[in-house]
Amino acid sequence: MVDDLRTSDIEKQESARQIRTYIGEEPGGRLRLFGVVPSTEWEQFGVAADVEALLQECTISTNGVIHPPTGRSFHPSEPEVLFELDPDAAEFTVTVDGPDHLESIVGEWSADGLSASDIFVGDQTRARRTHSKRQIKLGEWVYAVTDGSVDTLGEEMSLDTLGEWKILAFPAREDTTELLDTYGANLRTDEYGFEADVILPAEAHPTADKPIESPPGSTVLIGVTPAEEQDPMFEIVSIPKRKGDTVELTPTGPGNTRFYRTRVPQQGSKRVSVHQRNSSRHRLIHLHAVEAEDRQPLAESMYGDLGLEINQDGQSVLLSPIGEIQSTTIESSVTPATLPEMIDYVGPEGIELEIKAHFPLDHPEAPSFSRSTKDIESDLGNIGNWVMQGCIAIDVTFEGIGSVSITFGEQSSEEVKP
């Protein structure tokens, strides 16, 4: 039983040749359905093996797949095999025939088509189909496949189409508890076991399932934080699970973070699961080696340029929620009326943003007010007025992606209440 609990759901699905299915939002809000299966690993091949030739011997047939993968898609230099799915198909299959060396991928991979009971959980770029009664954390996004009969549509909800299906989307928050009860197949946020966040590399995407690309051998630091007043045992389990590869994390007390340090492999991928012992709670961490010159900045590879462009003193800097720079200061000598001309939104249309304006603690608006918008350009025009009214900083959150901040003048950290 201990060994079964230690085996992650990802490994169990792959052993059963199941396609992991996801919903993701593209810039502009269009939903897409896609599947993921694992690529090969370098360890499968001998030193003298011609990997390219072996993969060329593969034949692949599919059903319900819009853009089928090829043999080259399974190369160990690829972190995973991702392909778009037809949301109206009754079943999805990817059948791989090939040499014995490729036994880890050969066979029929399959997944059921969409149904009105399906739930996807994750963030707005990558939410995985999951089972009911799963514990999820506050802030995750829920996508519920419905028959279109939604009684009321609150501000925090959206109803979109995916093929012939209606998809209800909303964030898991304290004020959406009733939605979780109604549409979330009994998903729970009050019993979420732990947080596992990749601290290094700093540009790591918050989505757990998405591969983290970093230079070979670079340091990775993972922080694991249990729920308050709990001090369970955690372990790092390799995927696939191998004898002797399990690492136990040293306890640090109830609610306290404990850390796991590792490195990106010299080539290919390394996959581990953060596991809370004696439970079915797992979180996938997927590390993939990519040479620095071959890597695209995350903000560019996902969205093109994305963020706020600040033009000051003849220089331009991009504050990107997932780029290298997330914050800056505009000196108090700048005339507030010129601020709208200095700050420009860069990115695709349709992304929802939250703007939070901070004020001194003795100000009538203190400590802050916030608003959500999909028309960021119009709201940026109000920044000059906010600063003239006493605003000392703004935070702009790109929903499901990250945030950037601008401080106006030299303010002490005590003047802004988080």
Side-chain angles (χ1 to χ4, degrees), residues 49 113 207 210 399:
T207 304
K210 187 176 179 62
E399 194 63 57

Side-chain angles (χ1 to χ4, degrees), residues 236-255:
I236 307 297
V237 184
S238 62
I239 301 176
K241 193 166 75 281
R242 300 180 179 92
K243 186 176 181 180
D245 273 358
T246 299
V247 177
E248 185 176 292
L249 301 185
T250 303
T252 55

